[in-house]
């Protein structure tokens, strides 16, 4: 079966986590800034789209080369065997980006790449007139960095963070794949309690439940590659989805709870959990941070509280941090992971974090403040 050079793209700060995911799935990896390289067949393309929780997209590398002139770009793009990927009727939009390169005019770069592919396919398919582009969409990207050209075919379509279960959201939703990254970084085991004290639309608890039941995060959505009948054998997608469903383990007894002070957000969280098929796995309750107490031990708490950019009153945000510190310091067996863009969080929480990790919520720099618990046996 045809093997492809593949890339799983990732947000800054979580590339290593994506690399670990891929290794756990059995692939050899090369971790780079913003992406992880691996190799696989079209089966692997479908499988990784279904199973990667933290990546943004899975892309096929069509070609790589150095280019400092538009002639270089045109000729080397045209020399690639595009017909191995694109059928005659393929709709292939070309997106572009360029950083620190001679060829910095992105619209021109996109136009040159498009023309080169059209010329190549026109010759191969013996078409003198314009290609029809009436078939399935094959999203292409040309990315140039320091004059190095990377041409890729996006197999995911919509970003992988769009799981398909979020029917409603609040004012500042956390992306699903970043929520999955937070749960992964928390080293939570499904036999321990899990709490999100400011759950909003429920994304973090839902991602925890998906992990706890070993449910493939891509089961509720489609991918661009599934419409590529020239590359995907009939029935392969259904076969891999059936295998993924068989892998899920619903016999695990999960203890996952999400709280929020806003009753409307709790209703939204319940709706999203129902859409994910997890309404029985998670308990959502309206409750303020200051009113929560627990006698449970060895739990994990993961929170994405407001951090100023989302509330006009910074004082109220920092009062929330004080409340968290006052309560959570009385829970020595619990590990606490709190994501915020407020770099003064520790001051108001009242304790120095065991460890801090820089992450990005979209373009916003945030820090994950980690307070490791002392497990009680």
């Amino acid at each position: 079966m045809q093997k492809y050079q593949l890339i799983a793209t990732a947000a800054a700060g979580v590339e290593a986590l994506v690399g670990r995911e891929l290794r756990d799935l059995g692939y050899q990896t090369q971790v780079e800034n913003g992406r992880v390289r691996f190799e696989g067949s079209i089966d692997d393309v479908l499988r990784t789209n279904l199973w990667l929780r933290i990546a943004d997209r899975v892309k096929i590398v069509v070609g790589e080369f150095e280019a400092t002139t538009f002639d270089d770009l045109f000729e080397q793009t045209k020399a690639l065997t595009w017909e191995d990927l694109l059928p005659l009727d393929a709709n292939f939009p070309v997106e572009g980006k360029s950083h620190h390169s001679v060829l910095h005019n992105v619209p021109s770069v996109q136009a040159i790449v498009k023309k080169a592919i059209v010329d190549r396919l026109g010759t191969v398919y013996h078409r003198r007139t314009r290609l029809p582009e009436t078939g399935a969409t094959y999203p292409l990207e040309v990315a140039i960095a320091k004059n190095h050209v990377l041409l890729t075919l996006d197999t995911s379509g919509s970003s992988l963070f769009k799981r398909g279960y979020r029917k409603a959201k609040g004012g500042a939703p956390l992306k699903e794949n970043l929520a999955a990254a937070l749960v992964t970084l928390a080293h939570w085991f499904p036999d321990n309690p899990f709490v999100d004290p400011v759950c909003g639309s429920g994304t973090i608890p839902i991602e925890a439940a998906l992990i706890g039941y070993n449910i493939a995060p891509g089961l509720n959505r489609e991918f661009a590659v599934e419409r590529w009948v020239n590359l995907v054998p009939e029935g392969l997608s259904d076969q891999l989805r059936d295998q993924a469903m068989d892998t899920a383990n619903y016999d695990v007894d999960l203890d996952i709870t999400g709280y929020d002070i806003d009753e409307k957000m709790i209703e939204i969280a319940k709706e999203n959990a129902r859409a994910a098929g997890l309404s029985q796995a998670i308990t959502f309750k309206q409750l303020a941070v200051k009113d929560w107490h627990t006698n449970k031990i060895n739990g994990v708490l993961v929170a994405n509280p407001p951090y100023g950019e989302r509330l006009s009153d910074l004082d109220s945000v920092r009062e929330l941090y004080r409340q968290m510190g006052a309560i959570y310091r009385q829970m020595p067996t619990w590990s606490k992971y709190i994501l915020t863009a407020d770099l003064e969080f520790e001051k108001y929480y009242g304790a120095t974090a065991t460890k801090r990790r820089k992450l990005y919520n979209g373009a916003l720099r945030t820090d994950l403040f980690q307070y490791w618990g002392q497990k009680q046996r």
Side-chain angles (χ1 to χ4, degrees), residues 51-294:
W51 278 103
L52 287 177
R53 300 182 189 279
I54 303 172
D56 287 322
R57 299 177 184 277
V58 176
K59 297 183 176 184
I60 295 173
V61 177
V62 185
E64 292 185 79
F65 50 82
E66 305 297 315
T68 55
T69 70
F70 285 125
D71 283 344
D72 286 342
L73 179 63
F74 180 88
E75 294 299 336
Q76 293 188 79
T77 299
K78 185 178 178 180
L80 299 170
T81 56
W82 293 98
E83 64 274 13
D84 291 345
L85 296 168
L86 306 181
L88 171 62
D89 65 348
N91 173 32
F92 53 100
V94 179
E95 295 293 327
K97 58 185 178 181
S98 179
H99 299 287
H100 308 297
S101 299
V102 174
L103 302 179
H104 60 271
N105 187 302
V106 172
S108 297
V109 166
Q110 292 173 184
I112 291 293
V113 167
K114 180 80 173 186
K115 185 176 187 304
I117 300 170
V118 168
D119 277 16
R120 171 83 187 199
L121 294 181
T123 300
V124 169
Y125 293 126
H126 308 291
R127 293 292 295 249
R128 294 182 180 179
T129 58
R130 184 175 178 177
L131 296 174
E133 294 201 50
T134 54
T137 299
Y138 295 70
L140 301 174
E141 182 185 70
V142 50
I144 308 179
K146 297 180 180 178
N147 302 321
H148 181 80
V149 180
L150 175 65
L151 291 160
T152 56
L153 173 59
D154 177 15
T155 71
S156 301
S158 298
S159 176
L160 294 179
F161 81 80
K162 296 183 178 180
R163 313 286 205 225
Y165 64 72
R166 190 146 71 183
K167 303 305 179 184
K169 57 188 179 181
L174 189 71
K175 288 183 178 180
E176 292 90 324
N177 54 357
L178 180 54
L182 297 181
V183 178
T184 300
L185 288 168
H187 303 289
W188 170 66
F189 292 95
D191 55 350
N192 291 328
F194 184 97
V195 167
D196 179 353
V198 284
C199 69
S201 59
T203 307
I204 293 175
I206 290 171
E207 290 298 318
L210 291 173
I211 291 171
Y213 282 152
N214 194 37
I215 299 172
L219 275 178
N220 285 340
R221 55 160 290 171
E222 295 181 346
F223 310 102
V225 65
E226 293 179 283
R227 296 186 287 275
W228 301 348
V229 295
N230 61 315
L231 298 180
V232 180
E234 185 176 356
L236 176 60
S237 180
D238 289 339
Q239 176 188 336
L240 292 175
R241 287 178 179 275
D242 289 343
Q243 290 175 2
M245 285 188 283
D246 290 342
T247 304
N249 180 9
Y250 294 98
D251 293 331
V252 180
D253 187 14
L254 298 179
D255 182 358
I256 300 175
T257 309
Y259 300 101
D260 201 278
I261 195 171
D262 187 341
E263 184 179 7
K264 291 181 180 178
M265 294 310 303
I266 290 298
E267 291 305 313
I268 288 173
K270 288 179 179 178
E271 181 182 348
N272 290 338
R274 282 193 294 270
L278 296 169
S279 57
Q280 302 303 312
I282 309 167
T283 300
F284 289 108
K285 292 182 179 179
Q286 180 190 10
L287 194 70
V289 165
K290 63 182 177 62
D291 295 328
W292 178 66
H293 300 278
T294 183

Side-chain angles (χ1 to χ4, degrees), residues 335-366:
S335 292
K336 285 79 71 173
Y337 295 80
I338 301 168
L339 184 74
T340 175
D342 188 344
L343 301 185
E344 293 191 71
F345 171 80
E346 291 163 305
K347 173 182 174 182
Y348 297 95
Y349 183 84
T352 301
T354 311
K355 184 179 181 181
R356 288 170 59 172
R357 184 179 183 125
K358 182 168 66 175
L359 298 172
Y360 283 86
N361 186 4
L364 180 64
R365 153 68 186 281
T366 61

